[in-house]
Structure formats: structure tokens, C-alpha cells
Amino acid sequence: MSPSGPFQRERWTSPLRGPWLASVLSVGLAVLFGVELVTGYLSHAAYQPQLGANDLTGGGLDQQLFGWAWPTSPAWLYLANQGLHVVAGVALIPIVAAKLWAVMPKFYKWPPVRSPADALERLSLGLLVGSTLFLLFSGVWNIAYWYSAFRGFDFVAAHYYAAWVFLGSLLAHVIIKSPVMVRAFREHGLRPLGQSLADTIPEPADPQTSAPLAPATPALSRRGLLGLVGATSAGFALLLAGQSIGGVTRGISLFAPRRQDPGGGPNGFQVNKTAASAGIKPEETQSAWRLTLRGTRARELSRTELLALPQHTYQLPIACVEGWSTTQTWTGVRLRDLADLAGSGDAGQVLVESLQSDGVLRQATLNRGQLHDERSLLALRVNGVDLSLDHGFPARVIVPALPGVHNTKWVAKMTFEAA
Ligand code: HEM
Ligand SMILES: Nc1nc2c(c(=O)[nH]1)N[C@H]1C(S)=C(S)[C@@H](COP(=O)(O)O)O[C@H]1N2
Ligand SMILES: [Mo]
């Protein structure tokens, strides 16, 4: 059987393709994928190291990762982690597209499989490409829509396990391909970058494929192609980074999926989950509301009683797993003072529960460091006024460097535990 359609080598005519171009793009990919892996697993450690067992509530966080628990300083740690993860992830898209374009003829090689070893490599390539596309797609989907689409599909778990498939197949790929890359750079160095359009020369054809290339005249030089890919990638990053960095950079954050300024006034900063969408009944947040504390003793406090306790004010960010952040000035009662009131001043963790009756985000567990940091608050006020209902009135958790998902709103109950 002779090759037909895209399986014919001569159908792939661009002389820009080849090991050198693939190698240069791979350097960029290696850096950004490295950032993705490190920040992705750190995020996992930060808020749900027991994925599956205990899901979003965390729990026993102190015991995780060889005794290392997610810290509270610097306060912007999680902001930086998720900002990097999401921005580098989006910046990867044009480079992944260019890399796939550069190696596209390989997907159509003929015969498709030459030996058992070749079959294994093809399988690992399938896993690599599949998991990469899945990670990029599910990540973008997540920052754009959160859980609302694909009901019943656990994005976080799928993204997490895809990352392991990705890591394994990437390692195999790097081991198999590094000799090709070394040869490409040894033979050409960075020279192909300096070539003008007229000089563009075809790379040596794959020795395993017989048919010689009949090069077309490319529309772009290699330098032009790499410039285009690099500029697109940097542009994507620039248009998204403002949602993490804040300040004036928000103005150019055109890719940010959410409005940063839904209204004016001290409570006029963005809201992901409104009280209405969380099913909060406004009347339950008014005078009938009580904060229940459970430790070695039980206490119930009204909002007036909470406001009579020592109040503390800190400027702290909320940093969402989706990469956006918002830094505000919060006022409220220290979590550790509440632990004292419950007779559990030495508690190792606290389970915080919301008025919200269902959904994974209705509760969270904070670890020892998060509970005892002096800046960790049950916030009652923001920017000098009472919290608005959408920002968690009557009370919400604010803890430095805490993943946004754990800054529980509409808090109703806190249970202090040994750890
Ligand atoms: C090869 C690329 C990627 C790798 C290896 C990777 C890896 C990871 C890992 C391990 C996690 C932690 C999951 C957990 O908490 O259990 C994570 C979370 C996350 N990733 Fe990625 N990721 C990649 C690409 C992306 C992209 C392109 C985006 C979006 C632009 C993205 C957005 C997110 C978000 C929003 C989370 C937080 C999910 C949540 O906890 O709610 N990721 N990633
Ligand atoms: N009860 C409750 N608290 C919650 C949430 C929620 O859905 N329900 N969302 C969390 C998430 S994901 C983030 S990032 C922060 C800030 O979200 P916001 O913009 O909805 O206030 O609040 C957290 N607190
Ligand atoms: Mo979030």
C-alpha cells in the first residue's frame, strides 16, 4: 500500500519545519511547562492535598507533604502562584500550536508504525499531545466558566490526573528526543534565526523518510515565524496578567474573564459567587444570625458581640485559584481570639462552615499556621464599611496567602480541632 493524502511526505512543503524549529520552540515550552508543573502541584498542596479523600475541605493539612504545610507569608504567595500558573498556561497556547505545526508531518509518517519500540513511542506521543491539549483546554474552560458548564464533571480532579499523564509522557519524550535537539543546535546553532527569507534553506529531511522535500517558498522566515509566535504568546500573557497583578494593569486586562469593578463604593470589587447564586437567604444574615463556635466549649455570638471584641485591620489579597486577585482592607476579629473563646487556644486546625447549604465551597479547613497568624481574620467590615451581602455579610474568612476558595463567605460555624 502506498501512502496517500497527508501521508505523502511531499505534501508537507514548508522548509521552515524540521528539528531545528521544533527544538527552539521546545526550549520555550520547557520553561513554561516547568512553571505549570511547579505551580500546579504547589496549588494542589496549598488547598487540597487529599484530593478524593477529603476534596475541597482539606483537613489535617498540617500533616501533609512531609510535615510541611502551606504558609501564610508572604501574603501574596498564592496570588503569585496562581497568577503565574494561569498566565504561563495561556502564554503556552500559541507555542504549543506552533510546535504542533512544526512536527505535523510526523503524525502522518508512513508506515505509521515501524517496530514495537516505535509503537510505544507513538503511544507516549499520543498521551503527551492528548494530555497537553486537555490541560490547556480544561484550564481555560475553568478560568472562563468555573464549575457551571459540564455538570457533574470534576474539572479539578481531571486536570490534576491529566497533569500526571502529561508529566510521565513528557519525561519519556524529553529522553527520547534530546539527542535530536542536541544535534540540531550543534549543526545550526542559532544561525537559522539570522537568515532572511531568501536564504531560508530546507532542513535535512528525516533520514528515515525516503522522499526528498520539494520546498515551497515560505511566506515567513524562521525569525519571522518565531517572532510572531513569541509576540502572540507575550500578548496573551499581557492581556491576562492584570487580573493577578491589579492596579493600573487591570485596565489592559482584556482577557480577564470577570469584571473587576462591578459597582462603586467600598464594596465595589468583583464578586464571583453572589449571595443569590449561593442560595443565601438574606433574612438569615440579619439579627437572627449567630456565629457558632465549637471547641472544648461551645459559644454563640451575635454580630454586635463580635464587633465588641478587639478589631484588627489588615490589607490582604483574596487570590482565586483562577488566577485573579483583589487586595482590600479588611477589619474583623482574629481567628485565634475566637479559638480562645471556644476554649481551644491551642487548636491545630479549624473547620469553617457557611450558611450556604450545599456546594463544595460551603466549607473549608484551615491549618495551624493559618489559624494562628495574627492577620487571619473573621472579617466583618471591608474598606471601612460593613461587608456587603455578596462579599459575605455578616462575616467571612480572610487569611494571608490562603487560596481564594478557602476564604469562606457567610460564615455560620467554626469547629476548632486538635489537628
Ligand atoms: C501542561 C500544562 C498544565 C499543567 C501541568 C497543569 C497542572 C495543574 C495542577 C497539578 C493543578 C492542581 C490541581 C489540584 O488542585 O489538584 C492545576 C490547577 C489549575 N490549573 Fe493547571 N496545569 C496546566 C495548564 C493550565 C492552563 C493552561 C490553565 C489555564 C489557563 C490552567 C489553570 C488551572 C487552574 C485555574 C487551576 C486551579 C483549579 C482549582 O483548583 O480550582 N492550568 N494545574
Ligand atoms: N460560602 C462560600 N464562600 C466562598 C465561595 C463560595 O462559593 N461560597 N467562593 C470562594 C472563592 S472560589 C473565592 S475566589 C473567594 C472570593 O470569591 P467572590 O468573588 O465570590 O467573593 O470566596 C470564596 N468563598
Ligand atoms: Mo475562587
Side-chain angles (χ1 to χ4, degrees):
M1 211 165 82
S2 63
S4 62
F7 291 97
Q8 294 166 289
R9 189 73 176 96
E10 58 276 16
R11 287 284 288 269
W12 300 93
T13 54
S14 175
L16 299 188
R17 286 197 178 91
W20 187 85
L21 184 65
S23 299
V24 175
L25 291 168
S26 299
V27 174
L29 288 175
V31 172
L32 293 177
F33 276 132
V35 169
E36 288 310 88
L37 285 164
V38 170
T39 54
Y41 288 121
L42 278 177
S43 172
H44 180 74
Y47 92 97
Q48 46 174 355
Q50 294 173 320
L51 182 81
N54 222 338
D55 274 17
L56 295 169
T57 51
L61 297 173
D62 256 357
Q63 264 57 60
Q64 297 308 312
L65 291 173
F66 315 105
W68 180 80
W70 190 255
T72 51
S73 288
W76 45 263
L77 185 65
Y78 193 72
L79 186 169
N81 191 83
Q82 273 327 80
L84 266 176
H85 188 75
V86 166
V87 168
V90 167
L92 266 166
I93 294 170
I95 311 180
V96 168
K99 167 94 193 226
L100 287 176
W101 179 83
V103 301
M104 194 56 79
K106 302 273 189 186
F107 293 118
Y108 294 103
K109 76 175 182 185
W110 196 264
V113 174
R114 290 173 178 136
S115 65
D118 190 40
L120 260 184
E121 199 214 330
R122 305 284 282 175
L123 177 69
S124 77
L125 277 177
L127 291 176
L128 179 64
V129 175
S131 61
T132 300
L133 295 181
F134 180 81
L135 285 163
L136 297 182
F137 178 80
S138 61
V140 170
W141 198 274
N142 180 256
I143 62 171
Y145 295 103
W146 193 226
Y147 290 124
S148 53
F150 289 124
R151 263 169 215 292
F153 179 81
D154 188 343
F155 161 84
V156 183
H159 193 76
Y160 174 73
Y161 291 115
W164 285 111
V165 174
F166 169 77
L167 179 59
S169 52
L170 178 69
L171 285 178
H173 184 61
V174 168
I175 291 168
I176 293 169
K177 292 297 183 188
S178 50
V180 179
M181 179 159 162
V182 169
R183 183 163 12 102
F185 283 130
R186 215 178 256 152
E187 280 176 15
H188 301 281
L190 290 179
R191 272 188 315 266
L193 264 188
Q195 284 163 356
S196 71
L197 195 55
D199 300 330
T200 309
I201 39 135
E203 303 231 10
D206 180 344
Q208 284 184 298
T209 28
S210 44
L213 278 180
T217 310
L220 272 176
S221 65
R222 284 195 183 81
R223 183 175 25 175
L225 177 73
L226 289 172
L228 185 69
V229 171
T232 310
S233 171
F236 278 21
L238 214 70
L239 292 179
L240 188 61
Q243 68 161 2
S244 318
I245 301 166
V248 289
T249 62
R250 285 233 199 278
I252 56 157
S253 203
L254 300 180
F255 277 11
R258 284 175 192 79
R259 286 192 61 192
Q260 314 278 334
D261 55 346
N267 272 287
F269 54 98
Q270 72 184 78
V271 176
N272 234 11
K273 181 67 101 6
T274 60
S277 67
I280 300 297
K281 299 185 195 72
E283 61 275 15
E284 292 181 2
T285 67
Q286 298 302 312
S287 54
W289 178 84
R290 293 289 179 279
L291 173 69
T292 302
L293 300 180
R294 290 246 187 292
T296 58
R297 46 174 192 266
R299 285 288 304 262
E300 285 209 344
L301 295 164
S302 68
R303 196 165 188 278
T304 315
E305 288 169 315
L306 284 169
L307 282 166
L309 296 171
Q311 303 291 302
H312 301 273
T313 299
Y314 297 99
Q315 198 182 338
L316 290 170
I318 294 182
C320 182
V321 292
E322 298 151 33
W324 60 264
S325 78
T326 181
T327 299
Q328 306 296 336
T329 305
W330 310 92
T331 301
V333 183
R334 283 187 175 139
L335 298 184
R336 67 187 195 197
D337 290 352
L338 295 173
D340 283 340
L341 278 178
S344 295
D346 57 351
Q349 64 182 42
V350 58
L351 170 67
V352 180
E353 291 171 86
S354 171
L355 279 178
Q356 189 182 339
S357 56
D358 50 32
V360 276
L361 304 186
R362 66 167 301 278
Q363 59 177 24
T365 302
L366 306 180
N367 70 27
R368 181 185 298 276
Q370 290 160 348
L371 168 57
H372 292 281
D373 192 296
E374 63 172 18
R375 297 164 296 170
S376 298
L377 300 178
L378 183 69
L380 306 167
R381 295 162 65 79
V382 63
N383 301 321
V385 302
D386 283 348
L387 291 171
S388 67
L389 189 56
D390 283 342
H391 283 305
F393 184 88
R396 83 170 304 164
V397 166
I398 293 292
V399 169
L402 188 68
V405 287
H406 282 183
N407 288 294
T408 308
K409 302 198 277 192
W410 315 292
V411 173
K413 186 174 175 189
M414 299 176 67
T415 308
F416 299 93
E417 293 154 356

